[in-house]
Amino acid sequence: MMLRCFRAKKTSMDADRDLEELTTMVASLRRHLQRMERAGIRNLSIARDADGKAPEPSQASWLRGVEGGLFSDHAEACRATSLEELRAAIGDCRRCKLWPGRTHLVFGVGNPQAHVMFIGEGPGRDEDLQGEPFVGRAGQLLTDIIVKGMGLGREDVYIANVVKCRPPENRNPEPDEVEACEPFLLRQIELISPRVIVALGKFAVQTLLKTKAPITRLRGVWHEFNGIKIMPTFHPAYLLRNPGDKKLVWQDIKKVIEELRTPVT
Ligand code: SF4
């Protein structure tokens, strides 16, 4: 009897250890899949048999659950086929530490088929309160750029931010917050598939281009992001403090207008 109890106890300890190991493995695999997801890899290749044949679709069907990252917090979002589905997949997001401070999650606004997409850093106070990006003083300046400068309406373009929840005291989003939120932006870009992205300010452009180069060096020249042309320029909030640089932004926007007028070949 004693022996049986000891064995039972030992088995339970083994099970605890196995569970712990499994949890560690799952966490590690999850991080790996998230890295792959961020790198744009959303399908895992299917192992072939000894003759080099891929399994029949019926055999491989269980693998379909892996597509988009079985262990990923973002799997549903990555599979969204419309902005509505993406917004629903984000839900009442608590994937990073910004969620407790938000009034509204600021998803994005505009034409889902826009040719031009403006991407800023994150919501400020007004945006957080209203649930819409670029609605404060800086937002008014962006609206002027779109309406008076480009001859478009806000409803013709799409406007979003790198992070969807307001960082406290309008500080820069931290790397873990960007990491948690970036897959949503990437899927937004994929779904909208704009011809041109205008990256507003240092933070947005450095995030998209994965560079530490200063905005003064990046702005005004075309870059590429996943096959989409990207024009970095100053953030409208910066222009409120440095109105003398509005002429530089106008130079950048003229290049965007020119690009949009160029027939697609
Ligand atoms: S910033 Fe993004 S990842 Fe963080 S809670 Fe908001 S929506 Fe979720």
Side-chain angles (χ1 to χ4, degrees), residues 103-104 106 123-140 166 170:
T103 310
H104 289 105
V106 183
R125 188 175 59 92
D126 295 312
E127 290 75 18
D128 175 61
L129 290 173
Q130 295 184 43
E132 188 173 324
F134 285 95
V135 289
R137 281 181 65 221
Q140 185 52 54
R166 183 193 181 195
N170 289 350

Side-chain angles (χ1 to χ4, degrees), residues 13-255:
M13 283 168 64
D14 285 348
D16 284 350
R17 201 172 49 232
D18 287 350
L19 186 61
E20 204 175 305
E21 276 175 17
L22 187 62
T23 307
T24 307
M25 281 169 60
V26 167
S28 162
L29 182 55
R30 181 184 198 155
R31 281 195 298 276
H32 177 65
L33 288 170
Q34 284 173 333
R35 278 196 294 275
M36 289 172 71
E37 212 172 51
R38 282 196 297 280
I41 300 164
R42 301 213 162 81
N43 297 294
L44 298 182
S45 62
I46 295 168
R48 292 168 187 271
D49 64 18
D51 300 325
K53 280 195 331 200
E56 293 300 314
S58 57
Q59 290 172 280
S61 61
W62 66 272
L63 280 173
R64 288 193 198 112
V66 177
E67 291 172 6
L70 178 63
F71 300 102
S72 167
D73 283 338
H74 303 92
E76 200 186 336
C78 290
R79 285 195 292 268
T81 56
S82 68
L83 292 176
E84 291 76 22
E85 270 184 38
L86 176 60
R87 178 62 192 90
I90 295 172
D92 178 29
C93 184
R94 298 177 180 200
R95 292 170 179 86
C96 86
K97 59 187 182 297
L98 291 179
W99 77 266
R102 74 173 175 236
T103 310
H104 289 105
L105 189 152
V106 183
F107 176 67
V109 71
N111 181 350
Q113 274 112 38
H115 293 308
V116 56
M117 186 169 176
F118 291 85
I119 299 177
E121 174 179 321
R125 188 175 59 92
D126 295 312
E127 290 75 18
D128 175 61
L129 290 173
Q130 295 184 43
E132 188 173 324
F134 285 95
V135 289
R137 281 181 65 221
Q140 185 52 54
L141 193 47
L142 178 63
T143 304
D144 286 348
I145 291 169
I146 295 166
V147 177
K148 296 178 188 167
M150 302 177 76
L152 299 169
R154 267 175 78 102
E155 67 284 0
D156 297 319
V157 305
Y158 199 90
I159 307 171
N161 283 306
V162 173
V163 293
K164 313 294 183 206
C165 303
R166 183 193 181 195
E169 311 303 326
N170 289 350
R171 65 157 168 75
N172 282 342
E174 292 175 354
D176 59 318
E177 295 157 359
V178 174
E179 190 174 323
C181 210
E182 201 179 13
F184 303 143
L185 175 67
L186 298 185
R187 191 66 188 141
Q188 249 174 335
I189 295 171
E190 278 175 345
L191 290 168
I192 295 163
S193 189
R195 276 186 69 182
V196 172
I197 291 172
V198 180
L200 298 165
K202 167 185 123 170
F203 190 85
V205 68
Q206 288 185 345
T207 301
L208 289 170
L209 297 181
K210 303 286 177 236
T211 175
K212 292 278 178 219
I215 181 74
T216 43
R217 218 176 76 207
L218 296 168
R219 63 146 287 276
V221 286
W222 288 109
H223 300 259
E224 200 190 290
F225 173 79
N226 289 356
I228 299 169
K229 291 189 111 175
I230 177 164
M231 173 58 72
T233 194
F234 290 123
H235 194 284
Y238 166 87
L239 293 182
L240 291 174
R241 300 188 300 272
N242 302 275
D245 280 344
K246 281 184 186 173
K247 58 183 180 303
L248 296 177
V249 172
W250 179 230
Q251 285 172 15
D252 305 343
I253 294 298
K254 278 199 285 191
K255 290 180 185 169

